[in-house]
C-alpha cells in the first residue's frame, strides 16, 4: 500500500515577520543628526589644474597663448585647468613646458598644495605624521 503524503512546500521567510505592538503608542521617529558632510580630499587633477592656472595667470598669459605653445587644444587645456580631465604625463609636461616649468616642478607644486590641504581633510587618526618629506610623495 502506498502512503499518501500531502505535497506541501516548506516556506522559509527571508526576513522575520514584523511583530505588531499591542496598543503601544508609536514613538516619533528620531531626528537625524545634523552633521557637516564629510569633507572630501582634493583630487590630484584638481591640484595640478590649479597650479597650471595660477602659474598662467601669474605670467599674465591667456589660455590661447599657453595652449598654442604647448600644442594642446584650448578647450582641453581649459578642462585640465578646471580639474575636469585627467591629463596624461605628456600633456602635463607640454603645459608645464609652455609655462617655463619642468614636469617635476609642476608635480612638486601640486604635491606641496596637497600636503597643505591634507591637514584640512584629515579625519580621526589621519593627521600629519610629523615626518618631513624632502622628495615628492605620490600616492595612488
Amino acid at each position: 500500500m502506498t502512503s499518501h503524503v500531502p505535497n506541501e512546500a516548506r516556506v522559509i521567510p527571508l526576513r522575520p515577520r514584523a511583530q505588531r505592538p499591542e496598543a503601544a503608542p508609536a514613538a516619533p521617529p528620531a531626528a537625524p543628526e545634523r552633521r557637516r558632510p564629510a569633507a572630501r580630499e582634493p583630487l590630484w587633477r584638481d591640484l595640478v589644474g590649479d597650479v597650471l592656472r595660477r602659474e598662467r595667470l601669474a605670467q599674465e598669459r591667456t589660455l590661447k597663448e599657453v595652449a598654442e605653445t604647448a600644442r594642446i587644444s584650448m578647450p582641453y587645456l581649459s578642462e585640465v585647468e578646471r580639474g575636469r580631465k585627467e591629463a596624461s604625463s605628456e600633456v602635463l609636461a607640454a603645459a608645464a613646458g609652455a609655462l617655463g616649468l619642468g614636469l617635476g616642478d609642476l608635480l612638486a607644486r601640486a604635491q606641496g598644495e596637497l600636503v597643505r590641504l591634507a591637514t584640512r581633510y584629515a579625519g580621526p587618526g589621519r593627521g600629519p605624521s610629523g615626518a618631513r618629506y624632502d622628495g615628492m610623495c605620490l600616492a595612488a
Side-chain angles (χ1 to χ4, degrees), residues 35-134:
R35 287 188 285 164
R36 253 184 20 203
R40 185 180 68 121
E41 283 189 297
L43 298 175
W44 185 248
R45 66 176 182 243
D46 292 328
L47 297 169
V48 171
D50 287 343
V51 170
L52 286 173
R53 177 166 284 182
R54 277 197 312 268
E55 185 62 31
R56 179 178 61 79
L57 294 175
Q59 294 179 15
E60 297 180 353
R61 295 178 64 189
T62 65
L63 194 62
K64 183 178 180 182
E65 290 171 346
V66 175
E68 285 176 355
T69 304
R71 300 182 61 134
I72 302 170
S73 76
M74 190 172 67
Y76 188 72
L77 182 57
S78 173
E79 295 279 299
V80 170
E81 281 189 356
R82 291 184 287 143
R84 305 232 178 198
K85 295 290 181 187
E86 193 82 49
S88 67
S89 58
E90 290 87 0
V91 169
L92 293 177
L99 293 168
L101 300 172
L103 181 59
D105 298 326
L106 172 67
L107 299 181
R109 289 180 185 190
Q111 190 263 343
E113 187 70 11
L114 178 61
V115 169
R116 186 181 71 77
L117 293 173
T119 56
R120 289 187 192 175
Y121 301 102
R126 293 193 55 199
S129 64
R132 184 165 184 258
Y133 297 102
D134 291 320

Side-chain angles (χ1 to χ4, degrees), residues 4-22:
H4 182 59
V5 178
N7 188 10
E8 292 181 18
R10 182 173 167 209
V11 177
I12 302 172
L14 295 177
R15 50 181 102 123
R17 293 184 181 179
Q19 295 179 359
R20 295 188 178 163
E22 297 183 27

